[in-house]
Amino acid sequence: RQACVRVCVEKYSGSVGGVSGSRQEVGRTGRCVVYDDYAHHPTEVRATLQAARQRFDAAAIWVAFQPHTVSRLEWFLEDFGTAFSGADKVIVTEVFKARSEKGIEGDSMTGETLSEAIMSPPALYIPSISDAAERLARDVKMELMMDDERQVVIIVMGAGDSNTLGPELLQKLE
């Protein structure tokens, strides 16, 4: 776990370059910066948020998280429950299912299951990535109007198709 925290701190401090598929700045507009991060395991989520908090100590740190596979969510649900405590706001989308999981009806593990399991901060379940981008854009605009100095850092996390959320969010913010 310590090694993961160290690498995540280095990624957010900028001392590790070219970490493809890990963390990258998607873009920024005004006082809002959006990152895309491959974190999809509770330890990675926790370490990434710890590193982001060290780097952006005064900023609002918001997470949009797409759980990756029903089986991973089932195995690590309890660990995910505390993994997001370094964030100020969390939005959870629907689970990105593995090929072997697609078409299976009646899954008991959903993005909503995860959002209810997250202890702090309270998480909001928004199944669609587009709807999550819409909600984040609205919330960012409101946050920036209410506080004319604070930066908002949004970290989109997941290993599925969550990487489309950041560009869509930035487009809505422009």
Side-chain angles (χ1 to χ4, degrees):
R1 182 172 175 209
Q2 291 294 347
C4 185
V5 171
R6 183 185 55 75
V7 169
C8 288
V9 168
E10 290 172 354
K11 286 190 306 184
Y12 277 92
S13 68
S15 62
V16 173
V19 184
S20 179
S22 183
R23 190 256 332 151
Q24 68 178 26
E25 182 177 318
V26 177
R28 56 180 66 223
T29 179
R31 290 178 285 119
C32 178
V33 61
V34 179
Y35 288 95
D36 186 80
D37 196 298
Y38 189 70
H40 58 283
H41 182 280
T43 302
E44 296 167 341
V45 170
R46 190 176 290 106
T48 296
L49 288 172
Q50 181 180 350
R53 184 58 66 198
Q54 288 177 0
R55 169 74 172 87
F56 304 104
D57 62 328
I61 297 178
W62 297 356
V63 173
F65 182 73
Q66 181 185 46
H68 187 250
T69 77
V70 172
S71 57
R72 177 175 286 118
L73 183 55
E74 187 170 20
W75 291 330
F76 296 111
L77 184 64
E78 188 175 329
D79 292 333
F80 274 123
T82 60
F84 295 91
S85 62
D88 296 305
K89 175 182 280 208
V90 177
I91 291 178
V92 179
T93 67
E94 194 46 76
V95 177
F96 184 84
K97 294 182 179 181
R99 263 181 256 140
S100 61
E101 297 173 330
K102 293 188 183 197
I104 298 174
E105 293 299 320
D107 288 322
S108 61
M109 288 289 140
T110 66
E112 187 170 26
T113 306
L114 175 58
S115 71
E116 292 169 355
I118 294 173
M119 294 180 196
S120 176
L124 180 61
Y125 171 64
I126 302 177
S128 143
I129 286 183
S130 287
D131 291 345
E134 185 71 39
R135 175 62 183 260
L136 282 167
R138 188 180 79 220
D139 289 357
V140 165
K141 289 174 185 176
M142 194 174 341
E143 176 81 12
L144 295 179
M145 283 184 357
M146 291 173 52
D147 186 334
D148 62 357
E149 293 183 18
R150 193 171 191 198
Q151 183 180 23
V152 177
V153 176
I154 298 175
I155 306 171
V156 180
M157 295 184 190
D161 59 357
S162 60
N163 62 338
T164 62
L165 195 153
E168 186 174 342
L169 170 60
L170 287 168
Q171 187 176 37
K172 291 177 184 307
L173 288 172
E174 291 177 352

